[in-house]
Amino acid sequence: MAGDYSGDELVRWDSMERVCIQADGLSAPKVLRTKGSDGKLYKLIWKNEDVRQDCLVEQLFSIVNSILNGDDDDAFLRTYKVVPLDSKCGIIEFCQGTTSMKQLLCGLDFQGGLHAEEEPQDEKAIKLRTALKDAARSSGNQASVMFQEACARFQPVFRHFFYRNYTTVRDWTKMINNYRKSLAQWSIVTYVVGLGDRHLSNVLFETDTCKLVHIDLGMILEYSKRTLPIPERVPFRLTRDLLDPLLIEGTGGRLEEEAVHAMQLLRDSKHVIIGLASVLLRETISNFEEVDPGGGDRPSFVSETAIARLRDKLNGTDDTFGQQDVHHQSCPTINILTKRWTAVTNVMRSLGNNRTSFGKVRRVFAEATNVDNISRMFIGWMGFV
């Protein structure tokens, strides 16, 4: 079919502002503003690191988005463009209309945001972060005790964003439904593809649609469990503030239904997802080594493990929660619930229900909200928010 390939309709850079903003992150990314040939101002992110793997991962997420949402333009897994310039730097699309959960809930200095506005008598996040700095490395159940004490001094407030901005029942219900579906899909996708490093700066919130956006996708296929000084212990971020807008529903009800539906869709397309992950692992520009340096053409242990874990998740045969040493001697309620959950999962396994999408979602939700797991996360993850 004939078409116009002149590129005249494309927006080009006209000029770049001389002042930039430094964003959070180890690579100190810069937020730049440029004027387009259409006269509008655009933001973009310059990263002084290799973003080629991010580009590949975004392609993976685009396919996953199609699996979950079809060709719907109003998809719940928002993706963005990544343009590598060479092996040391690249440009990333700035997600317009979003703010980081860090800024929204705690402010850029961890002393403001919704928490300071709605619960001014609570401890500031920066103070609790300092107090819990060494909790993850503490012995016994000390970490969970310290974490629960911190949570008692820092109440969740995210529901107030919806109260403030959507004052009619119709608008509030629509946005809560958007948020619930986005949270469910991102939770399941994050678990399946093993995306880690989900701290508050890497989770954005689209304020007009109430959907989540995840950025900085380098820690995929459980890379964070193998490389970080403090290995991650949760499958995805499902902390108190993220659950707060759902009120009494919590992890049950419609959130669970949406998650089960997403899990089943991914399982139905598991061969596509595993194939894409295999391609990602074989790319020489990724952080993974596909071939064992000492074994000829033999796949590396990292590659074999990553694909095996992905396959187990999609088949419902992975087993992580029941193997973790979870004790809460000073918290009888949590201890009782943990024992009850262990008994339930044992019955589910004996019946084969852990292979179903429903059984799997129940288990990963329990793992993601387990106090002992969250309390032993790296403090920069800020599990109390």
Side-chain angles (χ1 to χ4, degrees):
M1 181 180 294
D4 181 9
Y5 299 98
S6 64
D8 293 337
E9 75 284 357
L10 298 178
V11 178
R12 297 174 173 81
W13 290 357
D14 187 32
S15 60
M16 188 79 67
E17 290 188 352
R18 299 179 64 86
V19 179
C20 66
I21 300 173
Q22 181 170 307
D24 292 334
L26 296 176
S27 63
K30 309 298 188 295
V31 180
L32 310 174
R33 292 211 309 174
T34 180
K35 185 177 181 181
S37 56
D38 58 354
K40 298 180 181 179
L41 286 175
Y42 294 89
K43 285 184 179 181
L44 53 89
I45 300 173
W46 170 279
K47 293 194 75 172
N48 191 31
E49 64 179 28
D50 192 350
V51 299
R52 293 177 296 176
Q53 178 166 303
D54 291 64
C55 183
L56 295 174
V57 175
E58 273 300 314
Q59 295 177 36
L60 170 63
F61 273 85
S62 296
I63 300 299
V64 171
N65 210 357
S66 298
I67 293 173
L68 294 177
N69 301 294
D71 297 327
D72 188 0
D73 293 334
D74 193 27
F76 287 84
L77 292 185
R78 177 173 171 178
T79 57
Y80 52 89
K81 305 299 182 184
V82 180
V83 181
L85 298 180
D86 59 24
S87 61
K88 297 181 180 179
C89 64
I91 296 174
I92 299 176
E93 176 188 358
F94 186 90
C95 296
Q96 300 286 349
T98 66
T99 183
S100 71
M101 294 300 292
K102 169 190 171 181
Q103 182 174 356
L104 179 64
L105 295 174
C106 303
L108 294 176
D109 59 355
F110 293 112
Q111 301 184 71
L114 280 175
H115 275 280
E117 296 169 5
E118 297 295 340
E119 298 288 349
Q121 75 283 357
D122 280 0
E123 293 270 19
K124 295 295 185 285
I126 191 170
K127 187 174 181 179
L128 292 176
R129 177 174 173 166
T130 302
L132 293 172
K133 183 177 180 181
D134 299 322
R137 300 183 184 275
S138 60
S139 59
N141 66 337
Q142 187 63 27
S144 60
V145 172
M146 295 171 63
F147 178 78
Q148 291 176 83
E149 291 175 350
C151 289
R153 306 196 302 270
F154 197 80
Q155 300 302 314
V157 297
F158 192 25
R159 65 188 182 280
H160 291 287
F161 172 87
F162 295 85
Y163 294 158
R164 289 181 179 184
N165 294 279
Y166 306 104
T167 55
T168 67
V169 173
R170 180 179 180 180
D171 290 343
W172 182 87
T173 301
K174 177 182 178 181
M175 292 304 165
I176 285 293
N177 288 341
N178 280 355
Y179 174 72
R180 182 192 295 109
K181 188 170 184 177
S182 176
L183 178 62
Q185 288 194 3
W186 271 115
S187 296
I188 296 304
V189 170
T190 299
Y191 157 69
V192 169
V193 303
L195 179 62
D197 197 28
R198 298 300 88 200
H199 57 76
L200 292 172
S201 294
N202 281 346
V203 182
L204 310 182
F205 183 68
E206 194 171 17
T207 53
D208 290 340
T209 64
C210 296
K211 298 176 184 177
L212 299 171
V213 184
H214 284 244
I215 61 173
D216 199 355
L217 309 177
M219 294 290 180
I220 198 171
L221 296 174
E222 298 189 345
Y223 196 64
S224 59
K225 290 186 177 181
R226 297 188 296 270
T227 60
L228 295 180
I230 300 179
E232 297 195 345
R233 296 169 60 93
V234 295
F236 44 82
R237 188 179 190 96
L238 196 63
T239 51
R240 297 182 308 151
D241 261 305
L242 288 184
L243 288 172
D244 191 51
L246 304 183
L247 305 177
I248 195 173
E249 176 183 315
T251 58
R254 295 183 61 186
L255 178 69
E256 185 177 76
E257 292 174 3
E258 294 283 3
V260 169
H261 180 62
M263 177 68 80
Q264 192 58 52
L265 289 174
L266 294 181
R267 285 185 170 184
D268 292 342
S269 301
K270 61 183 178 182
H271 297 299
V272 175
I273 297 172
I274 292 173
L276 290 170
S278 299
V279 172
L280 174 62
L281 288 167
R282 289 187 175 92
E283 279 289 349
T284 57
I285 63 176
S286 71
N287 291 334
F288 304 98
E289 294 181 0
E290 167 62 19
V291 178
D292 187 347
D297 294 331
R298 178 184 175 183
S300 70
F301 174 77
V302 171
S303 173
E304 289 181 326
T305 302
I307 292 299
R309 286 285 297 150
L310 178 60
R311 184 180 294 109
D312 286 345
K313 290 175 182 178
L314 292 171
N315 289 331
T317 55
D318 70 307
D319 187 8
T320 54
F321 179 73
Q323 297 175 354
Q324 296 196 15
D325 183 21
V326 181
H327 297 290
H328 301 279
Q329 297 175 358
S330 63
C331 187
T333 301
I334 293 180
N335 198 26
I336 291 172
L337 290 175
T338 301
K339 290 180 179 178
R340 288 179 178 176
W341 175 251
T342 302
V344 170
T345 52
N346 287 337
V347 173
M348 289 167 58
R349 291 183 193 126
S350 66
L351 296 175
N353 288 339
N354 60 312
R355 292 176 179 267
T356 68
S357 296
F358 176 79
K360 175 54 62 180
V361 167
R362 279 282 178 93
R363 290 184 59 220
V364 294
F365 273 9
E367 188 174 352
T369 55
N370 182 271
V371 173
D372 188 69
N373 288 343
I374 299 175
S375 66
R376 295 185 180 278
M377 293 288 289
F378 171 61
I379 188 54
W381 201 78
M382 295 182 65
F384 58 88
V385 180

